[in-house]
Structures are given as C-alpha cells and as structure tokens.
Amino acid sequence: MGSDYTTLSRHVLTQMGGFSADAYDISALMGRIGLAGKIIARQLSRAGLVADVLGITGTTNIQGEEVKKMDEFANQAFIRAFEQSGLVCRLASEEMEKPYYLPENCPIGRYTLVFDPIDGSSNIDVNLAVGTIFAVRQAEQTPPEDPDRDLLQPGHKQIIAGYLLYGSSTMLVYSMGKGVHAFTLDSSLGEFILSHENIKMPDKGFIYSVNEGNFSQWSEGMQNYIRYVHRQPGYSARYSGALVADIHRILFQGGVFLYPGTTKHPHGKLRLLYENAPLAYIIQQAGGKASNGKEDILDITPQSLHDRSPLFIGSKEDVDLVLSFLNG
Ligand code: FBP
C-alpha cells in the first residue's frame, strides 16, 4: 500500500525520472485528468439527491445514442479541466462529432487528449459502476487541410493511457509505458493516493465477460468458444454493462472480455480511439493481450475519430484461446 504522500502528481514525476519541464507538464496534465475525475465522482455520488444528474438530455450523439445528462456533464468537466492549461490544444471524445479546440492552449499545447467521458452509460440511472477512459498523445505538426490527422494514430503512439472507475471507491488506473499503477481517491484529502503499484495480471483466468444476448449474431468460431467455456468446469460469466468495470476485474483476477462483431454490426460496438486502444495499452503493460480478432489493437490506425472495432482483451492465454476458436 502506498503512503499518504504518494500522490498521482508525485508518482508521475517519479515515472518521468526527474523534474524537467516535460515532467512537470505531464504531471500537471495527469493532475487535470484527476480533477475532472473528482468532479465527475462527486456528481455521481449525489445522483439521486440533486436534479439534472440522472436521465437523458433529449439529444442524440454522433454514435446515434441518447445522450445522458451525466455524459454531457462529464464531457464538460474534461473541457473545463483543461481550459487555461497550456497543455492540450485539441480534445476528442465519444460525445463530440469533431475535436474540441482550446484556443488559449494553441499552439503551445504539446499534447492531445481523447476520452470517453462516461463509459457504461446504461448503468448511470441504476447506480451501477461506470468509468471514464482516456489517452494522451504528442501533438504533431499537421497540414492546414487536415489539422486533426495526428489524432488518428495507432494505439502504440499513446504516451499515457488509463481509466477512472466510479465504483464503491473511485480509482484512477494509468500507464505511461512503465507498468500499470492504480490510485484510490481519498476524499478526506481530495487526493488520488497510490494503492496498487506495478500491477501484473495472471496469464490465465476463469472469467469470461460478454453479452451472450448477441449469441445468434456471432461467427461460428465465437459461438464455439462460448460453447467450450460452458462445458469447462471453473469458468464464471461476469458482465457488468460497463467495459471499464469488467476490464478492472480482469486486470486483477485474469480472464477475458469479448465484444465481437455481429451480423448487424460487423465492427462491433466499442470505439477504437477512446475505448479499445487505451484499455489495450493498460492490459498489455500489465502482461495481457488485446486483439480485434485478426491484429493487435495497438497496431490499428483509425480512419476516423469514431471508428469501431471488435475487442478481445485480457489474459494472454485466454485471448490466444479465443483467437484459436475465431481463426478455426
Ligand atoms: P458507452 O461508452 O456509450 O457507455 O458504451 C460502451 C458500453 O456501455 C460498454 O461500457 C459496455 O461494455 C458495452 O457498451 C455494453 O454494450 P451492450 O449493452 O451491447 O452489451
């Protein structure tokens, strides 16, 4: 267990190996992500008591989904957290068709941020765990005719990735390429304190996490994998409705999460840039694996901000087993 003094910003400085301007920039950037997370956690914690937390806004987002009031609140929390920061010039999220510019941070802002403000939105109104997913990349010179090209990069170009989990406690899990570390929010201090350092996941687990309601729409290989785990003693199905919560369980206990393509949605449901790639980065840093069924999630270059991809992610041996069924 970390001490009261291993705060998120201090841990990032240690990870950066010193007190350079870059180190302080990255530490400040993670501090802003932590701030947005605290503001979202506070709003969620009083959901049933104050107006305008639960329910829908009445609008539809670029995904064609009803926008929840918390989706909008969380999206704004991130934008507000990065205003006047000099860190991030452009942000892209699940809730915004196009990237959002913070002119006061341009062009000095040397990083870009992509995020899913609330992951597991269908859980909000029933007080079940939800999360936020984020990833940071270096901003690059882009041509005027294609200013956001540098947002469409493969996952291995992420320099930081992570998620916030709003569960019985609020946690922030991140990696900047030197292992995976988890922090727990101590609300009495208002600080994220290191609680789990250098998390390594089991090579094999006995949890499979999938929405079996889509069974009839899956490939034969995928159906055969599920038939196989149904026959094996010791396997347990766990599916929370929030990707972040299911991935968090698998990070600590092992197993595999699956969101395959379906006949209706051949690319599946989950978004590559701000759902699959950040979580693939975390899982790979913890010793696991993430694939779209054919290639490593971190090698895929998105063609557009809201591209979707199938996702098979978790313990190495479990993902390899799934791939062996998918590829016959
Ligand atoms: P949101 O980011 O819009 O919440 O969508 C993603 C998600 O809710 C994941 O968290 C979850 O794993 C999945 O969709 C659930 O989808 P389904 O209801 O089709 O099983």
Side-chain angles (χ1 to χ4, degrees), residues 65 94 116 118-122 211 214 239 241-244 246 257 259 269-271 275:
E65 296 161 347
E94 180 180 311
D116 177 0
I118 294 283
D119 169 64
S121 305
S122 61
N211 182 347
N214 297 328
Y239 193 71
L243 171 64
V244 163
D246 292 323
F257 175 95
Y259 207 110
K269 173 186 181 178
L270 303 173
R271 281 55 57 138
E275 289 176 322

Side-chain angles (χ1 to χ4, degrees), residues 62-81:
I62 178 69
Q63 327 285 342
E65 296 161 347
E66 282 184 322
V67 178
K68 301 269 185 186
K69 289 180 180 167
M70 262 318 290
D71 289 325
E72 197 160 88
F73 178 91
N75 197 58
Q76 279 305 314
F78 268 82
I79 291 172
R80 304 292 312 279

Side-chain angles (χ1 to χ4, degrees), residues 175-303:
S175 178
M176 41 195 304
K178 297 177 184 159
V180 177
H181 315 285
F183 294 75
T184 301
L185 178 60
D186 181 332
S187 340
S188 66
L189 289 175
E191 283 281 0
F192 282 102
I193 301 291
L194 181 66
S195 50
H196 307 78
E197 191 160 28
N198 282 323
I199 301 163
K200 286 293 172 213
M201 62 189 300
D203 283 343
K204 175 153 190 38
F206 291 92
I207 287 167
Y208 67 101
S209 185
V210 68
N211 182 347
E212 293 202 32
N214 297 328
F215 186 90
S216 62
Q217 294 189 53
W218 291 337
S219 68
E220 196 185 344
M222 179 62 204
Q223 291 178 343
N224 287 341
Y225 170 72
I226 294 298
R227 291 191 186 104
Y228 167 82
V229 288
H230 283 176
R231 287 197 304 272
Q232 298 308 306
Y235 272 95
S236 292
R238 292 284 183 277
Y239 193 71
S240 73
L243 171 64
V244 163
D246 292 323
I247 293 295
H248 192 73
R249 181 200 308 275
I250 285 167
L251 178 65
F252 284 89
Q253 298 177 341
V256 62
F257 175 95
L258 314 96
Y259 207 110
T262 58
T263 40
K264 237 175 21 189
H265 303 292
H267 299 297
K269 173 186 181 178
L270 303 173
R271 281 55 57 138
L272 180 60
L273 201 59
Y274 41 76
E275 289 176 322
N276 298 353
L279 297 174
Y281 190 88
I282 290 285
I283 290 294
Q284 211 170 60
Q285 278 286 314
K289 192 170 182 167
S291 170
N292 69 349
K294 293 191 177 58
E295 58 184 313
D296 187 321
I297 290 283
L298 294 179
D299 294 338
I300 307 171
T301 303
Q303 300 311 306

